[in-house]
Amino acid sequence: MESKQIDDETVLIPKSNSKGKAVVADASSPVVATPKATLPQRGKWKKGLAIFDFVLRLCAAAAAFAAASTMGQTEQTLPFFTQFFQFHAEYNDLPTFTYFVVANAAAGGYLVLSLPFSIVCIVRPHAVGPRLLLVVLDTVMTALTISAAGAATAIVYLAHNGNSITNWLAICLQFTDFCQQASGGVVASFIAAVIFMFLVMNSALALKKTSH
Amino acid sequence: MESKQIDDETVLIPKSNSKGKAVVADASSPVVATPKATLPQRGKWKKGLAIFDFVLRLCAAAAAFAAASTMGQTEQTLPFFTQFFQFHAEYNDLPTFTYFVVANAAAGGYLVLSLPFSIVCIVRPHAVGPRLLLVVLDTVMTALTISAAGAATAIVYLAHNGNSITNWLAICLQFTDFCQQASGGVVASFIAAVIFMFLVMNSALALKKTSH
């Protein structure tokens, strides 16, 4: 009963860094009328952001896997050949394209593995730990995807246009299908990269919303 | 000695959404010994992060400008020539390197322009607006820098090793200085890109700290 007695004296404890919010606790209903009034609205905002995060992740995973598989199936054999040589091009003839496939597959796999954490953020919109983990890993994976997309773009550009100074020929003049499919993979990868950037921004926004 | 006595009967009010943190207040002096005690510490944390942000920005700007100027000065004329042709290579013979210079110069310029916002974050560690602006723009600029670095890496790799399938020759066998300088620029750009990633993570962490 001693603890009950102490509860009767209300205690005001202003929250330190927030904008003049205070938590009021009294004896009869010690757990907080005011926060309960504003909490659901904030919860909605954060839940909305978390659901948006989940949807973005699904889209990015689809784009990344599409990029990896498109590039991974890129090959072409030309219908003419010499006595000693048949003209054949495959994605892994170019190390950059191999890196591209690996990076995009890794990004897609990461996105699938990150879905449970995203679900945790939907169920518990105020959790900060999973979000911080996601924003750090998302940043790293954004870098991976974009570097792969940039590198593949440079090679595809070279294959399309060639370069007269270095005497590198435009192989797309022969390997048309090869180049088209590789270009498609690059476009898919850029879509994944842009969605990744939105994921990072979304997470930052969600972390900010925690402060209110 | 009275306060000593009252301290013995402490009232524990658990904060609703936090990780089992509790604020301790006593009956006689309800208004706020505790928050005042913790406020400067939190301010310190955020100020520390903001100063770290400022320093990172300076380093990233230096790296980005170094990358742009190194690549921008890359040229080489070979000491031998034919009757009709002198062998000369410059960075803007390759469109990828031109993009590289532009992207890194833009990133460096953005970093310098963002310094005032970073200073605002040091002076007012609790301001959320500038930080959100910075985290969005940082993410975009990270993408720009990394795409340029990835693309230039692909070309430099090709220049070093060539590619037998596509019959692209390793021009670095002749243009050794050209290739070395270009590689140096690419390394500087990757340093800038990594610092950019830390900037984004740092901003996310700083936004998170607001929540407590």
Side-chain angles (χ1 to χ4, degrees):
Chain A
M1 289 307 286
E2 189 189 321
S3 67
K4 189 78 180 171
Q5 248 183 335
I6 294 163
D7 270 342
D8 285 335
E9 308 163 359
T10 31
V11 179
L12 255 170
I13 298 165
K15 257 182 79 187
S16 53
N17 70 337
S18 67
K19 301 149 185 171
K21 246 189 245 168
V23 181
V24 183
D26 61 15
S28 59
S29 63
V31 186
V32 200
T34 34
K36 276 214 168 170
T38 58
L39 202 79
Q41 212 173 7
R42 268 184 287 121
K44 259 187 203 167
W45 257 107
K46 304 192 84 192
K47 193 156 260 185
L49 283 176
I51 291 170
F52 188 54
D53 180 272
F54 186 80
V55 174
L56 279 183
R57 257 165 228 286
L58 285 179
C59 297
F65 281 129
S69 68
T70 307
M71 187 63 91
Q73 289 166 9
T74 300
E75 67 171 323
Q76 189 180 5
T77 308
L78 291 188
F80 51 88
F81 45 88
T82 67
Q83 195 173 358
F84 305 107
F85 196 73
Q86 187 172 25
F87 294 98
H88 175 82
E90 211 176 332
Y91 78 95
N92 57 12
D93 292 337
L94 291 155
T96 306
F97 286 170
T98 310
Y99 170 63
F100 180 91
V101 171
V102 171
N104 275 289
Y110 157 75
L111 282 164
V112 170
L113 290 177
S114 74
L115 286 177
F117 290 94
S118 184
I119 292 172
V120 167
C121 287
I122 295 177
V123 177
R124 304 184 60 181
H126 296 280
V128 170
R131 276 210 189 279
L132 262 187
L133 182 73
L134 285 179
V135 82
V136 169
L137 292 178
D138 282 354
T139 309
V140 175
M141 284 295 168
T142 309
L144 188 73
T145 316
I146 292 183
S147 67
T153 308
I155 298 297
V156 166
Y157 178 87
L158 203 59
H160 272 290
N161 296 297
N163 190 291
S164 57
I165 309 286
T166 56
N167 208 20
W168 292 337
L169 298 174
I171 59 163
C172 286
L173 296 178
Q174 286 92 47
F175 294 100
T176 44
D177 291 352
F178 177 84
C179 279
Q180 271 190 358
Q181 204 166 346
S183 307
V186 169
V187 169
S189 178
F190 269 111
I191 293 172
V194 168
I195 301 178
F196 255 123
M197 285 165 62
F198 278 109
L199 273 175
V200 172
M201 294 176 194
N202 184 44
S203 289
L205 201 65
L207 279 169
K208 176 243 163 187
K209 286 277 170 196
T210 321
S211 65
H212 286 262
Chain B
M1 292 305 289
E2 189 193 323
S3 67
K4 187 84 180 171
Q5 246 183 336
I6 293 165
D7 269 343
D8 290 336
E9 316 165 355
T10 44
V11 180
L12 266 168
I13 297 168
K15 259 180 77 188
S16 53
N17 67 339
S18 69
K19 303 151 185 170
K21 247 191 245 168
V23 181
V24 182
D26 60 29
S28 63
S29 63
V31 184
V32 207
T34 35
K36 276 215 169 170
T38 58
L39 196 79
Q41 212 174 10
R42 267 184 287 115
K44 260 187 203 165
W45 256 108
K46 306 191 84 194
K47 194 156 258 184
L49 284 176
I51 292 171
F52 188 54
D53 179 271
F54 186 80
V55 173
L56 279 183
R57 258 166 227 285
L58 284 179
C59 297
F65 281 130
S69 67
T70 307
M71 188 63 91
Q73 290 166 8
T74 300
E75 66 171 323
Q76 189 180 6
T77 307
L78 291 187
F80 50 88
F81 45 89
T82 68
Q83 196 173 0
F84 306 107
F85 196 72
Q86 187 173 22
F87 294 99
H88 175 81
E90 211 177 330
Y91 78 94
N92 56 13
D93 292 336
L94 291 155
T96 306
F97 286 170
T98 310
Y99 170 63
F100 180 90
V101 171
V102 171
N104 275 287
Y110 157 76
L111 283 164
V112 170
L113 289 177
S114 74
L115 286 178
F117 291 95
S118 183
I119 291 172
V120 167
C121 288
I122 295 177
V123 177
R124 303 184 61 181
H126 297 281
V128 170
R131 277 210 187 279
L132 263 188
L133 182 72
L134 284 179
V135 82
V136 169
L137 293 179
D138 282 354
T139 308
V140 174
M141 284 294 167
T142 309
L144 188 73
T145 315
I146 291 182
S147 68
T153 308
I155 298 297
V156 166
Y157 179 86
L158 203 61
H160 273 288
N161 297 298
N163 190 289
S164 57
I165 309 286
T166 55
N167 208 21
W168 291 337
L169 299 174
I171 58 162
C172 286
L173 297 178
Q174 285 92 47
F175 295 99
T176 44
D177 291 353
F178 177 85
C179 279
Q180 272 189 357
Q181 205 167 345
S183 307
V186 169
V187 170
S189 179
F190 268 111
I191 292 172
V194 168
I195 300 178
F196 255 122
M197 285 164 62
F198 278 110
L199 272 175
V200 172
M201 294 177 195
N202 184 43
S203 289
L205 202 65
L207 280 169
K208 175 246 166 187
K209 285 276 166 194
T210 320
S211 65
H212 285 260

